Amino acid sequence: MENNAVDLYIESEERTQAEQTLCVLYSFRPGTARDILTLKASIQKSATVADAFALLLLDNPLSVSEAPDWKECESLFNKDDVAWFRECASGDLKKIRKATAGWVASVAGKTDGNMAKRVEASLYEGEFNPELEQGKAFELAATLGTDWVIVLGQGEILEAQSDRRKLDLLMTHPDPSVTAWGLSWYTHWDTDSLYRIDAPWGDSGEYRGHEGNIKMFRTTELTQTPIAKECSLD
């Protein structure tokens, strides 16, 4: 390791090793009743590692009442879910936003080991546009002022082995130029104990995760000084 890197690590220690805060960000466009159940399961796991939640609604959750699996899943919704649906039926955007934040807070708050203390929710009112939707989602997350953000899709759940201690190791990396981390994921089949290894859904039996992307971001830069142009994990 070059001396300039060591010096930078030492100079930045107070900032890089400070306690970090984490927001989990969702953009949610419900299509089926199971989409809501999966989102709940994701929030429950994320609540054990996150300080805050941000959720951008891309469509009215009540639309799933017309989905083919509604009757099959209807009995799985609890009173908090029903109360959320009732507010969504009002069509009042302020009520929907408030009810959505309350629903997320309730799901997280009733989870063993919950760490989350803040929730923000909003509604996207424009036409379908992934780039604009993503921009609005990041704007929403920024209002929470956390140091880091993890972006999860509505069908994505952090694996059971993920815990705050491991994420803290990533968030307190001594290199202040580290601003993001990539995550890989598996595609489950039928239950959360099985996942596909066959292409294109899986990794052809390599067991390294089929797909991956930059999913975890630092919200502010700690330095403009690059240490290396490239690196390898091999």
Side-chain angles (χ1 to χ4, degrees):
M1 183 181 296
E2 296 182 3
N3 288 335
N4 68 322
V6 175
D7 292 342
L8 183 60
Y9 284 11
I10 295 173
E11 293 171 3
S12 307
E13 184 175 4
E14 184 175 345
R15 290 172 293 162
T16 61
Q17 303 308 298
E19 184 177 356
Q20 303 291 294
T21 53
L22 175 66
C23 169
V24 174
L25 169 63
Y26 296 97
S27 296
F28 185 52
R29 177 177 280 108
T32 68
R34 288 208 172 273
D35 285 342
I36 292 178
L37 296 175
T38 301
L39 178 62
K40 285 181 65 176
S42 183
I43 292 171
Q44 288 167 341
K45 173 55 189 176
S46 296
T48 66
V49 301
D51 300 287
F53 283 100
L55 190 150
L56 179 68
L57 273 181
L58 304 176
D59 199 359
N60 193 323
L62 192 60
S63 63
V64 302
S65 63
E66 300 178 2
D69 65 344
W70 173 258
K71 290 296 182 182
E72 174 189 352
C73 299
E74 190 174 9
S75 63
L76 300 177
F77 295 120
N78 60 30
K79 63 180 183 179
D80 291 334
D81 304 328
V82 173
W84 182 37
F85 295 150
R86 186 178 297 117
E87 291 298 331
C88 290
S90 70
D92 186 311
L93 298 184
K94 289 185 178 180
K95 287 184 178 181
I96 295 174
R97 185 203 64 75
K98 183 177 179 180
T100 299
W103 177 77
V104 174
S106 176
V107 173
K110 294 179 180 179
T111 300
D112 289 341
N114 171 53
M115 293 181 59
K117 298 178 177 63
R118 295 175 292 161
V119 177
E120 286 291 342
S122 186
L123 287 78
Y124 176 75
E125 301 179 58
E127 296 183 1
F128 176 75
N129 185 314
E131 290 185 2
L132 285 178
E133 292 166 7
Q134 184 181 62
K136 290 295 184 182
F138 276 105
E139 286 178 10
L140 178 64
T143 65
L144 288 160
T146 58
D147 300 299
W148 290 80
V149 174
I150 289 183
V151 181
L152 293 182
Q154 62 189 53
E156 296 175 349
I157 304 174
L158 293 172
E159 63 181 338
Q161 295 89 337
S162 300
D163 59 31
R164 182 56 183 249
R165 181 187 64 82
K166 294 174 182 175
L167 293 176
D168 277 335
L169 290 175
L170 299 180
M171 294 190 290
T172 57
H173 191 285
D175 182 349
S177 67
V178 171
T179 59
W181 292 96
L183 303 178
S184 62
W185 57 87
Y186 297 102
T187 300
H188 287 284
W189 177 255
D190 194 35
T191 74
D192 59 7
S193 62
L194 299 174
Y195 59 87
R196 302 191 68 152
I197 64 171
D198 56 316
W201 300 277
D203 57 8
S204 300
E206 294 183 8
Y207 300 97
R208 296 172 63 88
H210 172 227
E211 297 181 272
N213 206 339
I214 303 300
K215 306 280 284 183
M216 184 172 174
F217 305 85
R218 188 193 296 276
T219 58
T220 57
E221 291 188 15
L222 296 185
T223 181
Q224 299 289 335
T225 305
I227 291 178
K229 294 183 179 180
E230 59 182 82
C231 63
S232 173
L233 298 179
D234 296 334

